[in-house]
Amino acid sequence: MATIKVKQVRSAIGRTKSQKRTLEALGLKKLHQVVTHEDTPAILGMVAAVRHLVEVEK
């Protein structure tokens, strides 16, 4: 399966608790941190929930 790179580009300060938890579930703890994940529907759903805070590269 393909992989995607997810990079946090905006802060989680002032965001809802569920958005903060989604970032943590993706493994993002700091700004400009990049993590690699498999391109699964669950991961894509999490990325969609915080798409305003992250950048995605396929």
Side-chain angles (χ1 to χ4, degrees):
M1 194 168 260
T3 61
I4 59 171
K5 290 182 181 179
V6 183
K7 177 180 180 181
Q8 183 177 352
V9 294
R10 298 192 111 176
S11 175
I13 295 172
R15 307 297 175 181
T16 63
K17 189 177 274 192
S18 64
Q19 290 175 348
K20 290 180 184 181
R21 285 191 205 154
T22 302
L23 288 173
E24 288 177 16
L26 286 169
L28 297 167
K29 298 176 183 175
K30 302 180 193 178
L31 282 178
H32 307 292
Q33 181 180 6
V34 179
V35 294
T36 305
H37 288 287
E38 291 293 323
D39 193 5
T40 63
I43 295 295
L44 293 177
M46 287 192 279
V47 169
V50 291
R51 67 184 171 272
H52 56 288
L53 304 175
V54 299
E55 286 181 351
V56 179
E57 180 181 324
K58 293 202 179 208

